[in-house]
Amino acid sequence: MTRLISAGRDALSYPDRGATARRPLPAGYHHLHHRTRVGRGRAAFEAAGVAVTTFQAHRTSGMLVRADAGAVRPGSRVVVGIGLGPLRISAPCEVIWTAYEPARVGFAYGTLAGHPESGEESFVVDMDADGTVWFTVTASSRPACWYTRLAGPVVPVLQRSYARWLGRHVRRLAAAA
């Protein structure tokens, strides 16, 4: 079941709460949709789902992740960081929705104040009827600070590259199962 938390909270840095759970994505944002085949069968699906919902995939991809222990749940806070020392960029987020279903597992987080972008990103593992397992990243974002505005069209390229990189890590983690 996909669970969306209450729209009453105002901590997010964008108005379109739950956007990645709906289609179409909101106008005025850069949209990303990247899908990676990660394996076949229940074992690959379960391993990929755990890797995504515990941030293991993010951590093995080189990101520094500060999050609650265990699997994600709506309302959980997470800070994802990249870089070293004073050059580290921290991206605070809140989990907006989760999916823990027989053939679909994942979550979306939304940006909080201090994130270099404004928007939402989902990370979902699906298993088709034929047993093929897919990892999908969907995002709706726009610059929220001077350096992401200055970077302009480079940011979406970096986001797409990271989605591909993360997909390779999910595939590797699923294959190890």
Side-chain angles (χ1 to χ4, degrees):
M1 168 162 84
T2 300
R3 191 168 156 227
L4 181 66
I5 64 172
S6 161
R9 294 188 182 187
D10 61 349
L12 298 174
S13 64
Y14 66 103
D16 303 296
R17 175 184 297 273
T20 56
R22 302 183 300 270
R23 297 291 185 277
L25 292 172
Y29 294 84
H30 166 73
H31 299 156
L32 168 71
H33 183 81
H34 181 74
R35 191 173 189 215
T36 304
R37 184 182 183 281
V38 298
R40 279 185 78 72
R42 178 63 50 188
F45 170 76
E46 290 175 1
V50 168
V52 168
T53 60
T54 63
F55 293 105
Q56 179 185 15
H58 284 74
R59 287 181 176 105
T60 63
S61 75
M63 292 293 176
L64 176 65
V65 179
R66 288 191 320 249
D68 298 338
V72 295
R73 61 189 180 284
S76 297
R77 296 286 175 106
V78 61
V79 178
V80 179
I82 188 169
L84 296 171
L87 299 178
R88 178 171 306 283
I89 296 172
S90 293
C93 300
E94 180 178 311
V95 175
I96 300 303
W97 60 261
T98 58
Y100 291 99
E101 301 167 14
R104 183 173 188 255
V105 175
F107 72 97
Y109 53 42
T111 59
L112 298 171
H115 195 293
E117 290 284 300
S118 176
E120 192 171 296
E121 190 167 22
S122 67
F123 309 90
V124 177
V125 177
D126 291 294
M127 186 168 64
D128 290 345
D130 71 356
T132 304
V133 179
W134 299 92
F135 170 66
T136 305
V137 177
T138 303
S140 168
S141 64
R142 58 185 170 207
C145 67
W146 69 268
Y147 57 87
T148 52
R149 282 189 287 279
L150 183 65
V154 173
V155 174
V157 171
L158 294 173
Q159 289 172 328
R160 182 163 305 283
S161 295
Y162 182 67
R164 287 185 186 122
W165 178 250
L166 193 58
R168 286 192 291 272
H169 283 270
V170 172
R171 181 186 306 126
R172 191 181 78 229
L173 292 165

